Amino acid sequence: MGNTISWKELTRYIQELTGKLNKDNISRTNAYKKYFDRHPEIKWALLASFVSRNAGWSMTDLKGSLFGPGLSDAQQKWLFLTYERANWLIFSDAYPQLLLYQLSKQFEKPLFHLLPALGVSSFMEAEWERFWHERDQKRLMYALIINEQNTIQTPIIQNPLFKKNVFHTIPFQVCEWFHFNTVIFPTVEGVFYGVSVKRFTSLKERIKLGKQLSQLLFRPELFPFFFHFTTYVPHTGSRFDMERWAGAMSRSSPFLRTCFPVIAHSLDGVKTDWFHGENMEGLFEDEKLPETIELTEWYFHKRRQLRAVFSLENWLKKSWK
């Protein structure tokens, strides 16, 4: 890329590369990780890669031995679409920002005035400009967390179809009741760490979760273990990627690319700027981590509970036929 390239060509290049890497959960997870490896000052990219891994595991759970027997085909489809659509939407918004920062470094000047042309919120344009001058890595990470959760709030969380077919359904409520909407950071030592979100549909709760996860991920004494896992263990989407390190002998969910097709998405009529000039400073405050962050035994106990619940639901369905 020479210095003669036009802004229009630059934005088209960013959009094309983003689309290529936004193919499915595995391509997104890997893209975030590779970006962090090249630009470790953008901590959000590694957090996004871990959260994306967790989304992949949640997707294949739908076809695995845990949830599969208790879910109808329609329930599986809608739950998968929720994970897939939300993660696709976040990537389509966030990755162009990451690429523009990368190009700003290459050109040695800020190019964030191009963010509106990429459909990115005015909130993030101001935050990227601030980061360019102040280099506050934590503030930028928090800004990206705030932005991503606002990005999915209207098109996913408040979407009447997702409300009806996902958030108001019994399987989703069961996961909420059992506190199983949890993001896990595994280690190859077989120890799992993580944080749960209490009310997934609450924007404030998801932002709080994101900030707590960021504090856990970059905790100095734990970060090397998490980073080793994500570098050493390829992401297949199967939960066995993590469970085998804790002694699991059998695969509870399949490889993602063997059970779900690539979905063609469109942004038409979806993207609007969520930011309307509100004072967001309160959202940049740190959140305390829960007292218990080591969740290995808790994790397997919850899996057993959920297996029992969904097996019972499957038995009841068959009994009433």
Side-chain angles (χ1 to χ4, degrees):
M1 278 194 185
N3 285 328
T4 57
I5 191 167
S6 71
W7 297 141
K8 198 171 183 180
E9 289 172 310
L10 204 60
T11 54
R12 187 165 63 242
Y13 162 76
I14 288 171
Q15 287 167 333
E16 287 175 358
L17 182 54
T18 299
K20 181 181 173 185
L21 296 174
N22 206 0
K23 177 184 171 187
D24 65 7
N25 173 266
I26 292 174
S27 62
R28 288 188 284 269
T29 303
N30 293 338
Y32 285 135
K33 171 60 168 60
K34 287 175 183 174
Y35 186 91
F36 176 79
D37 290 342
R38 296 193 303 268
H39 309 281
E41 69 274 24
I42 309 301
K43 293 181 172 181
W44 180 85
L46 186 65
L47 176 63
S49 183
F50 261 111
V51 173
S52 184
R53 271 197 187 237
N54 276 263
W57 296 331
S58 294
M59 289 174 180
T60 59
D61 278 345
L62 302 172
K63 296 285 189 180
S65 58
L66 180 63
F67 291 110
L71 295 175
S72 68
D73 289 345
Q75 287 171 329
Q76 286 184 12
K77 174 191 164 189
W78 275 105
L79 283 162
F80 166 71
L81 281 176
T82 305
Y83 294 122
E84 168 63 21
R85 181 70 170 164
N87 284 270
W88 177 88
L89 201 53
I90 288 169
F91 192 94
S92 69
D93 184 84
Y95 206 75
Q97 299 178 53
L98 305 185
L99 290 176
L100 200 55
Y101 170 70
Q102 176 181 312
L103 291 167
S104 296
K105 284 172 72 174
Q106 289 174 13
F107 285 109
E108 298 183 338
K109 64 178 181 180
L111 301 174
F112 307 119
H113 62 283
L114 297 177
L115 285 171
L118 293 163
V120 176
S121 171
S122 54
F123 170 78
M124 284 313 304
E125 184 179 355
E127 289 298 328
W128 278 108
E129 290 285 355
R130 182 170 181 155
F131 175 72
W132 186 261
H133 296 291
E134 297 180 5
R135 299 290 157 172
D136 186 337
Q137 296 180 13
K138 186 167 77 170
R139 183 180 174 97
L140 180 70
M141 179 167 57
Y142 282 6
L144 284 160
I145 289 168
I146 294 164
N147 177 68
E148 66 172 299
Q149 295 307 329
N150 276 282
T151 295
I152 65 170
Q153 184 65 15
T154 299
I156 305 292
I157 308 301
Q158 294 177 347
N159 184 309
L161 282 173
F162 285 112
K163 277 185 177 180
K164 176 187 172 186
N165 292 291
V166 179
F167 303 125
H168 293 171
T169 63
I170 289 175
F172 184 84
Q173 296 296 332
V174 164
C175 288
E176 289 259 289
W177 293 332
F178 279 87
H179 302 292
F180 206 70
N181 286 327
T182 303
V183 175
I184 298 289
F185 295 158
T187 67
V188 297
E189 288 73 24
V191 183
F192 301 162
Y193 298 84
V195 185
S196 299
V197 61
K198 300 294 188 292
R199 297 189 308 281
F200 180 81
T201 53
S202 164
L203 175 61
K204 285 187 177 179
E205 288 294 329
R206 294 196 314 277
I207 291 171
K208 176 183 175 182
L209 173 69
K211 291 192 289 183
Q212 288 176 321
L213 290 170
S214 71
Q215 290 179 14
L216 175 58
L217 177 57
F218 292 101
R219 201 164 179 158
E221 70 273 23
L222 295 176
F223 174 76
F225 296 99
F226 300 147
F227 187 75
H228 178 68
F229 178 91
T230 195
T231 302
Y232 182 71
V233 181
H235 178 52
T236 71
S238 172
R239 203 171 278 278
F240 194 60
D241 292 352
M242 59 176 275
E243 290 180 341
R244 66 190 177 101
W245 301 102
M249 303 301 291
S250 59
R251 186 179 297 280
S252 64
S253 65
F255 298 119
L256 186 132
R257 285 179 171 166
T258 66
C259 59
F260 288 113
V262 171
I263 304 294
H265 298 273
S266 171
L267 276 174
D268 292 347
V270 170
K271 248 349 228 324
T272 56
D273 191 347
W274 60 266
F275 184 61
H276 304 292
E278 305 93 329
N279 183 348
M280 311 294 283
E281 286 305 309
L283 291 176
F284 285 94
E285 295 175 4
D286 289 339
E287 295 285 353
K288 281 186 178 179
L289 277 169
E291 285 186 19
T292 305
I293 54 172
E294 196 270 283
L295 301 179
T296 317
E297 286 188 24
W298 176 93
Y299 169 85
F300 284 105
H301 174 64
K302 287 295 173 184
R303 299 291 283 181
R304 289 191 292 271
Q305 279 186 325
L306 281 172
R307 188 183 300 276
V309 169
F310 280 93
S311 295
L312 175 62
E313 186 184 356
N314 184 44
W315 180 80
L316 287 171
K317 279 181 184 174
K318 288 180 178 177
S319 299
W320 284 97
K321 278 185 180 178

